[in-house]
Each structure stands twice: as structure tokens, then as C-alpha cells.
Amino acid sequence: MADRYTKWMKEEFKTYAYILVYIALSSGQIFFNKWVLSSKEMNFPYPLGLTLLHMVFSSVLCFLVTKVVKIMKVEEGMTLDIYIWSVVPIGAMFAMTLWLGNTAYLYISVAFAQMLKAIMPVAVFILGVLAGLEVMNTRMLLIMSVISFGVLVASYGEISISWIGVVYQMGGVVGEALRLIFMEIFVKRKGLKLNPISMMYYVSPCSAVCLLIPWIFLEMPKMDARGTWSFKQPLILTLNSLCTFALNISVFLVISHTSALTIRVAGVVKDWVVVLLSALIFADTTLTPINLFGYAVAIAGVVAYNNHKLKKEATRVSPAEPAESVPLVSTPNSNR
């Protein structure tokens, strides 16, 4: 009995450790990206270049850990047809999401960007209805109304609002919503399910190519004109990219040892951590009672939406399905 209790305690400790690491890495990565891009901090105002660097690093490191060191396994079943018609659109939308989301940090605060992200379920649901994946009903209409009202109130309470930043952030939200819709179609039509590491292995190179083309025309000339770089900057950018990869590993560990519900709850906790801590870390962040009230209302709607989605997914998942094979829709990269 004592051995069983000790084993249970070790497993519980390990699970909570993974969750805390995920929250710390996810929050820290957002702050790190803001710090790198900010003109008042590191002053690397190239969100496209930064996102491209993340994808290249992820591609290389995924290859190393799965094909060279072989400490993680890529799930089989990928074909050229699936890659072209399913992975490429997902990779393109993922690239768009990260690019526009990082660009928004040049214009708006981290806290306000996080508040705007709360509108994500509304965008996903509307696109899902249009694609025939969701059905409009009274309950969902109420949940969407609560989220929209909360985000509206939070935006009304923002002291210094930049509409350019809002447009970039909303563009990122639309890109993420499209990515999630494509992933839903990917699962339904192809029947292929991949864990987060496998997903990153296949998607990262595609996203890198999608980012490379606009980077050549939009940011490379500016970076060339800037001239020489200090030794410190490449070092910091490398560390930033490694943190991004570590975050994806933490997502894999949390999902492998817990459930989709746990990762979503952890995501909500992380969102509040980011909003509150950003007010202490960055000078451009000022939270008002209206901000916080609106965000609280929006998060309540998000929690209700997550609960609805989890119940819906539970009816589709077979009990015999392996625990590490997670439907693509449950990967929480949208919170990054």
C-alpha cells in the first residue's frame, strides 16, 4: 500500500511539474518575444524574421530528436497527398498566425493582445458553421455573445489603443481559426491523428517556406540596410528559438501525461498570468478595472466553450485509442 501511494505521489508531482513548466514556458515565451521585438528593449523589429527563425529551429531540432537521436517518435501514416492538401494549408495558416500575432506586439501591449485573443472561439465557431462543422444553437449563440461582449468591454477599457495593432492581432486570430478548421477537416476526412511533436515535425518546414517568401521582400532589405549585428543579438535570438522549441516539448509532455481538459485549464491560467504579469514587466501596459472585468467575462465564455468542445470530442473518441495520439484540434498552440 505504501509503495502504491508513493508511486501515485510521484506521478502527481510529475504531472503538476509538467503543467507548471508549460505555464512558465508559455508565459515566458510571450514576454521574451515582446522584449526582443520592442524598440525600448532589444530592438529587433522584425516579427517576420523572428517567426521564420522559430520555424527553422523547430524543423531542425524536430529532425534531430526524431531521426538522429531518436528519443521521440514521429507517427506514421503521412502521404504526399495528405501533406500537400492538408499539412500545407495548416502550415500556411500557422505561419500567418504567428507572423501577424508577433507583429501586433510592435503596436499594442501584451495584456491587450491577450485580451483580444479571447475572441478566438467566436472566430472558430463562425468559420465552423460556414464549413458545416458546427451547428448554430441557442447555447452556442449565448456563449459567443458572452465572449464578444467581454472582449468589447476589455477593448473599451484600453487606455492607449492602436488600431493598426488591433488589425494585426485580429488577422492572427482569423489565421488561427482557419488553421483549427483545417485541422478539424484534416482529422475528419483523412482519419490521421498526430501528437504535437509529429505535428511540429511536418508543419514547421512548411511554415518556414511560407514565411521565407514574404521575408525576402519585406524584411530582408531592412535588415541588410541596418548593417552589422552585435554578437549578443544572435545569441539572444538562438535562446529565444530554443525556448519556443522547449515550449512545444512541454505541450507534448502535458498532453501525454494528462488530458485535453488539463491543457485547456492550464491555458486559461496562463492567460491570466500573462495579463497580470505584463503590467509589472512592461511600461506600455496599464490595466484598468474595465479591462479586467471585460476579460473576466470573456474568459468565462471561453471556459464554457472549452467545456462544450470537450464533451463533443469525447463522443467521437474511441476508448481504445492510444493516449499519446491526440486529435489535432486539441493542440493548444493558439495560446502561445
PDB file of all heavy atoms in Angstrom, residues 305-329:
ATOM      1  N   TYR A 305     -17.112  27.469 -23.589  1.00  0.00           N
ATOM      2  CA  TYR A 305     -16.884  26.947 -24.943  1.00  0.00           C
ATOM      3  C   TYR A 305     -15.993  25.702 -24.904  1.00  0.00           C
ATOM      4  O   TYR A 305     -16.276  24.694 -25.572  1.00  0.00           O
ATOM      5  CB  TYR A 305     -16.244  28.033 -25.808  1.00  0.00           C
ATOM      6  CG  TYR A 305     -15.807  27.553 -27.176  1.00  0.00           C
ATOM      7  CD1 TYR A 305     -16.731  27.398 -28.203  1.00  0.00           C
ATOM      8  CD2 TYR A 305     -14.466  27.260 -27.439  1.00  0.00           C
ATOM      9  CE1 TYR A 305     -16.343  26.960 -29.459  1.00  0.00           C
ATOM     10  CE2 TYR A 305     -14.068  26.823 -28.690  1.00  0.00           C
ATOM     11  CZ  TYR A 305     -15.007  26.675 -29.694  1.00  0.00           C
ATOM     12  OH  TYR A 305     -14.606  26.236 -30.928  1.00  0.00           O
ATOM     13  N   ASN A 306     -14.906  25.767 -24.117  1.00  0.00           N
ATOM     14  CA  ASN A 306     -13.999  24.621 -23.996  1.00  0.00           C
ATOM     15  C   ASN A 306     -14.735  23.395 -23.446  1.00  0.00           C
ATOM     16  O   ASN A 306     -14.526  22.265 -23.903  1.00  0.00           O
ATOM     17  CB  ASN A 306     -12.827  24.969 -23.077  1.00  0.00           C
ATOM     18  CG  ASN A 306     -11.792  25.834 -23.778  1.00  0.00           C
ATOM     19  OD1 ASN A 306     -11.746  25.887 -25.002  1.00  0.00           O
ATOM     20  ND2 ASN A 306     -10.970  26.520 -23.009  1.00  0.00           N
ATOM     21  N   ASN A 307     -15.587  23.625 -22.458  1.00  0.00           N
ATOM     22  CA  ASN A 307     -16.362  22.540 -21.871  1.00  0.00           C
ATOM     23  C   ASN A 307     -17.275  21.892 -22.918  1.00  0.00           C
ATOM     24  O   ASN A 307     -17.384  20.664 -23.013  1.00  0.00           O
ATOM     25  CB  ASN A 307     -17.193  23.071 -20.705  1.00  0.00           C
ATOM     26  CG  ASN A 307     -17.983  21.977 -20.015  1.00  0.00           C
ATOM     27  OD1 ASN A 307     -17.431  20.984 -19.548  1.00  0.00           O
ATOM     28  ND2 ASN A 307     -19.300  22.148 -19.953  1.00  0.00           N
ATOM     29  N   HIS A 308     -17.899  22.737 -23.733  1.00  0.00           N
ATOM     30  CA  HIS A 308     -18.775  22.236 -24.799  1.00  0.00           C
ATOM     31  C   HIS A 308     -17.983  21.423 -25.815  1.00  0.00           C
ATOM     32  O   HIS A 308     -18.410  20.331 -26.232  1.00  0.00           O
ATOM     33  CB  HIS A 308     -19.458  23.421 -25.488  1.00  0.00           C
ATOM     34  CG  HIS A 308     -20.199  23.047 -26.742  1.00  0.00           C
ATOM     35  ND1 HIS A 308     -21.455  22.474 -26.726  1.00  0.00           N
ATOM     36  CD2 HIS A 308     -19.847  23.160 -28.065  1.00  0.00           C
ATOM     37  CE1 HIS A 308     -21.849  22.242 -27.971  1.00  0.00           C
ATOM     38  NE2 HIS A 308     -20.894  22.647 -28.796  1.00  0.00           N
ATOM     39  N   LYS A 309     -16.807  21.925 -26.211  1.00  0.00           N
ATOM     40  CA  LYS A 309     -15.991  21.229 -27.210  1.00  0.00           C
ATOM     41  C   LYS A 309     -15.480  19.897 -26.688  1.00  0.00           C
ATOM     42  O   LYS A 309     -15.451  18.895 -27.413  1.00  0.00           O
ATOM     43  CB  LYS A 309     -14.805  22.118 -27.625  1.00  0.00           C
ATOM     44  CG  LYS A 309     -15.184  23.316 -28.464  1.00  0.00           C
ATOM     45  CD  LYS A 309     -15.717  22.925 -29.822  1.00  0.00           C
ATOM     46  CE  LYS A 309     -14.652  22.347 -30.715  1.00  0.00           C
ATOM     47  NZ  LYS A 309     -15.179  22.005 -32.061  1.00  0.00           N
ATOM     48  N   LEU A 310     -15.067  19.875 -25.416  1.00  0.00           N
ATOM     49  CA  LEU A 310     -14.535  18.640 -24.843  1.00  0.00           C
ATOM     50  C   LEU A 310     -15.607  17.557 -24.783  1.00  0.00           C
ATOM     51  O   LEU A 310     -15.338  16.380 -25.032  1.00  0.00           O
ATOM     52  CB  LEU A 310     -13.967  18.913 -23.454  1.00  0.00           C
ATOM     53  CG  LEU A 310     -12.619  19.654 -23.442  1.00  0.00           C
ATOM     54  CD1 LEU A 310     -12.277  20.116 -22.037  1.00  0.00           C
ATOM     55  CD2 LEU A 310     -11.512  18.778 -23.996  1.00  0.00           C
ATOM     56  N   LYS A 311     -16.832  17.938 -24.425  1.00  0.00           N
ATOM     57  CA  LYS A 311     -17.932  16.976 -24.395  1.00  0.00           C
ATOM     58  C   LYS A 311     -18.216  16.449 -25.796  1.00  0.00           C
ATOM     59  O   LYS A 311     -18.477  15.259 -25.998  1.00  0.00           O
ATOM     60  CB  LYS A 311     -19.186  17.625 -23.814  1.00  0.00           C
ATOM     61  CG  LYS A 311     -19.119  17.848 -22.306  1.00  0.00           C
ATOM     62  CD  LYS A 311     -20.398  18.475 -21.791  1.00  0.00           C
ATOM     63  CE  LYS A 311     -20.344  18.659 -20.280  1.00  0.00           C
ATOM     64  NZ  LYS A 311     -21.568  19.324 -19.767  1.00  0.00           N
ATOM     65  N   LYS A 312     -18.140  17.335 -26.780  1.00  0.00           N
ATOM     66  CA  LYS A 312     -18.395  16.947 -28.168  1.00  0.00           C
ATOM     67  C   LYS A 312     -17.312  15.993 -28.663  1.00  0.00           C
ATOM     68  O   LYS A 312     -17.592  14.989 -29.321  1.00  0.00           O
ATOM     69  CB  LYS A 312     -18.447  18.199 -29.047  1.00  0.00           C
ATOM     70  CG  LYS A 312     -18.769  17.911 -30.509  1.00  0.00           C
ATOM     71  CD  LYS A 312     -18.818  19.205 -31.297  1.00  0.00           C
ATOM     72  CE  LYS A 312     -19.061  18.923 -32.778  1.00  0.00           C
ATOM     73  NZ  LYS A 312     -19.071  20.169 -33.571  1.00  0.00           N
ATOM     74  N   GLU A 313     -16.033  16.304 -28.326  1.00  0.00           N
ATOM     75  CA  GLU A 313     -14.927  15.465 -28.756  1.00  0.00           C
ATOM     76  C   GLU A 313     -14.968  14.096 -28.067  1.00  0.00           C
ATOM     77  O   GLU A 313     -14.592  13.082 -28.647  1.00  0.00           O
ATOM     78  CB  GLU A 313     -13.591  16.163 -28.467  1.00  0.00           C
ATOM     79  CG  GLU A 313     -13.318  17.343 -29.399  1.00  0.00           C
ATOM     80  CD  GLU A 313     -12.133  18.171 -28.940  1.00  0.00           C
ATOM     81  OE1 GLU A 313     -11.380  17.687 -28.072  1.00  0.00           O
ATOM     82  OE2 GLU A 313     -11.974  19.293 -29.443  1.00  0.00           O
ATOM     83  N   ALA A 314     -15.422  14.096 -26.802  1.00  0.00           N
ATOM     84  CA  ALA A 314     -15.468  12.840 -26.043  1.00  0.00           C
ATOM     85  C   ALA A 314     -16.403  11.820 -26.688  1.00  0.00           C
ATOM     86  O   ALA A 314     -16.190  10.617 -26.594  1.00  0.00           O
ATOM     87  CB  ALA A 314     -15.911  13.121 -24.611  1.00  0.00           C
ATOM     88  N   THR A 315     -17.435  12.310 -27.357  1.00  0.00           N
ATOM     89  CA  THR A 315     -18.382  11.401 -28.013  1.00  0.00           C
ATOM     90  C   THR A 315     -17.806  10.804 -29.287  1.00  0.00           C
ATOM     91  O   THR A 315     -18.318   9.807 -29.800  1.00  0.00           O
ATOM     92  CB  THR A 315     -19.688  12.146 -28.367  1.00  0.00           C
ATOM     93  OG1 THR A 315     -19.386  13.211 -29.285  1.00  0.00           O
ATOM     94  CG2 THR A 315     -20.333  12.730 -27.118  1.00  0.00           C
ATOM     95  N   ARG A 316     -16.718  11.417 -29.809  1.00  0.00           N
ATOM     96  CA  ARG A 316     -16.128  10.934 -31.058  1.00  0.00           C
ATOM     97  C   ARG A 316     -14.931  10.030 -30.848  1.00  0.00           C
ATOM     98  O   ARG A 316     -14.550   9.282 -31.732  1.00  0.00           O
ATOM     99  CB  ARG A 316     -15.669  12.125 -31.917  1.00  0.00           C
ATOM    100  CG  ARG A 316     -16.771  13.041 -32.373  1.00  0.00           C
ATOM    101  CD  ARG A 316     -16.339  13.788 -33.627  1.00  0.00           C
ATOM    102  NE  ARG A 316     -15.004  14.322 -33.501  1.00  0.00           N
ATOM    103  CZ  ARG A 316     -14.736  15.626 -33.418  1.00  0.00           C
ATOM    104  NH1 ARG A 316     -15.710  16.504 -33.381  1.00  0.00           N
ATOM    105  NH2 ARG A 316     -13.497  16.042 -33.346  1.00  0.00           N
ATOM    106  N   VAL A 317     -14.281  10.150 -29.656  1.00  0.00           N
ATOM    107  CA  VAL A 317     -13.032   9.425 -29.426  1.00  0.00           C
ATOM    108  C   VAL A 317     -13.315   8.014 -28.955  1.00  0.00           C
ATOM    109  O   VAL A 317     -14.097   7.791 -28.048  1.00  0.00           O
ATOM    110  CB  VAL A 317     -12.166  10.157 -28.373  1.00  0.00           C
ATOM    111  CG1 VAL A 317     -10.898   9.351 -28.092  1.00  0.00           C
ATOM    112  CG2 VAL A 317     -11.818  11.549 -28.867  1.00  0.00           C
ATOM    113  N   SER A 318     -12.672   7.052 -29.572  1.00  0.00           N
ATOM    114  CA  SER A 318     -12.831   5.639 -29.189  1.00  0.00           C
ATOM    115  C   SER A 318     -12.068   5.359 -27.910  1.00  0.00           C
ATOM    116  O   SER A 318     -10.955   5.819 -27.741  1.00  0.00           O
ATOM    117  CB  SER A 318     -12.295   4.753 -30.317  1.00  0.00           C
ATOM    118  OG  SER A 318     -12.174   3.427 -29.878  1.00  0.00           O
ATOM    119  N   PRO A 319     -12.632   4.565 -26.986  1.00  0.00           N
ATOM    120  CA  PRO A 319     -11.935   4.235 -25.747  1.00  0.00           C
ATOM    121  C   PRO A 319     -10.623   3.505 -25.966  1.00  0.00           C
ATOM    122  O   PRO A 319      -9.736   3.531 -25.151  1.00  0.00           O
ATOM    123  CB  PRO A 319     -12.939   3.335 -25.001  1.00  0.00           C
ATOM    124  CG  PRO A 319     -14.273   3.643 -25.608  1.00  0.00           C
ATOM    125  CD  PRO A 319     -13.987   3.970 -27.035  1.00  0.00           C
ATOM    126  N   ALA A 320     -10.524   2.796 -27.095  1.00  0.00           N
ATOM    127  CA  ALA A 320      -9.310   2.018 -27.360  1.00  0.00           C
ATOM    128  C   ALA A 320      -8.200   2.850 -27.975  1.00  0.00           C
ATOM    129  O   ALA A 320      -7.122   2.354 -28.262  1.00  0.00           O
ATOM    130  CB  ALA A 320      -9.642   0.847 -28.296  1.00  0.00           C
ATOM    131  N   GLU A 321      -8.455   4.126 -28.172  1.00  0.00           N
ATOM    132  CA  GLU A 321      -7.476   4.981 -28.843  1.00  0.00           C
ATOM    133  C   GLU A 321      -6.267   5.220 -27.954  1.00  0.00           C
ATOM    134  O   GLU A 321      -6.407   5.452 -26.762  1.00  0.00           O
ATOM    135  CB  GLU A 321      -8.147   6.319 -29.153  1.00  0.00           C
ATOM    136  CG  GLU A 321      -7.317   7.198 -30.052  1.00  0.00           C
ATOM    137  CD  GLU A 321      -8.075   8.460 -30.390  1.00  0.00           C
ATOM    138  OE1 GLU A 321      -9.307   8.472 -30.219  1.00  0.00           O
ATOM    139  OE2 GLU A 321      -7.438   9.425 -30.806  1.00  0.00           O
ATOM    140  N   PRO A 322      -5.034   5.176 -28.467  1.00  0.00           N
ATOM    141  CA  PRO A 322      -3.855   5.396 -27.650  1.00  0.00           C
ATOM    142  C   PRO A 322      -3.864   6.791 -27.042  1.00  0.00           C
ATOM    143  O   PRO A 322      -4.266   7.759 -27.676  1.00  0.00           O
ATOM    144  CB  PRO A 322      -2.685   5.252 -28.657  1.00  0.00           C
ATOM    145  CG  PRO A 322      -3.255   4.497 -29.799  1.00  0.00           C
ATOM    146  CD  PRO A 322      -4.703   4.835 -29.862  1.00  0.00           C
ATOM    147  N   ALA A 323      -3.367   6.896 -25.821  1.00  0.00           N
ATOM    148  CA  ALA A 323      -3.412   8.167 -25.096  1.00  0.00           C
ATOM    149  C   ALA A 323      -2.534   9.218 -25.734  1.00  0.00           C
ATOM    150  O   ALA A 323      -2.817  10.401 -25.669  1.00  0.00           O
ATOM    151  CB  ALA A 323      -2.966   7.952 -23.644  1.00  0.00           C
ATOM    152  N   GLU A 324      -1.405   8.782 -26.349  1.00  0.00           N
ATOM    153  CA  GLU A 324      -0.498   9.779 -26.900  1.00  0.00           C
ATOM    154  C   GLU A 324      -0.922  10.266 -28.273  1.00  0.00           C
ATOM    155  O   GLU A 324      -0.342  11.173 -28.842  1.00  0.00           O
ATOM    156  CB  GLU A 324       0.938   9.215 -26.974  1.00  0.00           C
ATOM    157  CG  GLU A 324       1.151   8.154 -28.030  1.00  0.00           C
ATOM    158  CD  GLU A 324       0.778   6.767 -27.518  1.00  0.00           C
ATOM    159  OE1 GLU A 324       0.222   6.660 -26.409  1.00  0.00           O
ATOM    160  OE2 GLU A 324       1.055   5.782 -28.234  1.00  0.00           O
ATOM    161  N   SER A 325      -1.918   9.640 -28.865  1.00  0.00           N
ATOM    162  CA  SER A 325      -2.397  10.065 -30.175  1.00  0.00           C
ATOM    163  C   SER A 325      -3.533  11.045 -29.977  1.00  0.00           C
ATOM    164  O   SER A 325      -4.665  10.673 -29.758  1.00  0.00           O
ATOM    165  CB  SER A 325      -2.877   8.853 -30.976  1.00  0.00           C
ATOM    166  OG  SER A 325      -3.263   9.243 -32.259  1.00  0.00           O
ATOM    167  N   VAL A 326      -3.196  12.312 -30.068  1.00  0.00           N
ATOM    168  CA  VAL A 326      -4.139  13.373 -29.706  1.00  0.00           C
ATOM    169  C   VAL A 326      -4.703  14.012 -30.956  1.00  0.00           C
ATOM    170  O   VAL A 326      -3.963  14.346 -31.882  1.00  0.00           O
ATOM    171  CB  VAL A 326      -3.423  14.454 -28.861  1.00  0.00           C
ATOM    172  CG1 VAL A 326      -4.389  15.544 -28.455  1.00  0.00           C
ATOM    173  CG2 VAL A 326      -2.791  13.816 -27.639  1.00  0.00           C
ATOM    174  N   PRO A 327      -6.020  14.193 -31.052  1.00  0.00           N
ATOM    175  CA  PRO A 327      -6.589  14.876 -32.201  1.00  0.00           C
ATOM    176  C   PRO A 327      -5.950  16.241 -32.376  1.00  0.00           C
ATOM    177  O   PRO A 327      -5.668  16.934 -31.398  1.00  0.00           O
ATOM    178  CB  PRO A 327      -8.079  15.007 -31.833  1.00  0.00           C
ATOM    179  CG  PRO A 327      -8.324  13.902 -30.867  1.00  0.00           C
ATOM    180  CD  PRO A 327      -7.057  13.737 -30.112  1.00  0.00           C
ATOM    181  N   LEU A 328      -5.748  16.643 -33.611  1.00  0.00           N
ATOM    182  CA  LEU A 328      -5.061  17.898 -33.890  1.00  0.00           C
ATOM    183  C   LEU A 328      -5.763  19.083 -33.271  1.00  0.00           C
ATOM    184  O   LEU A 328      -5.131  20.067 -32.918  1.00  0.00           O
ATOM    185  CB  LEU A 328      -4.951  18.095 -35.410  1.00  0.00           C
ATOM    186  CG  LEU A 328      -4.237  16.980 -36.154  1.00  0.00           C
ATOM    187  CD1 LEU A 328      -4.153  17.329 -37.622  1.00  0.00           C
ATOM    188  CD2 LEU A 328      -2.855  16.738 -35.595  1.00  0.00           C
ATOM    189  N   VAL A 329      -7.072  19.023 -33.128  1.00  0.00           N
ATOM    190  CA  VAL A 329      -7.802  20.166 -32.587  1.00  0.00           C
ATOM    191  C   VAL A 329      -7.502  20.403 -31.128  1.00  0.00           C
ATOM    192  O   VAL A 329      -7.844  21.437 -30.595  1.00  0.00           O
ATOM    193  CB  VAL A 329      -9.327  19.994 -32.750  1.00  0.00           C
ATOM    194  CG1 VAL A 329      -9.712  20.132 -34.187  1.00  0.00           C
ATOM    195  CG2 VAL A 329      -9.783  18.649 -32.195  1.00  0.00           C
TER     196      VAL A 329
END
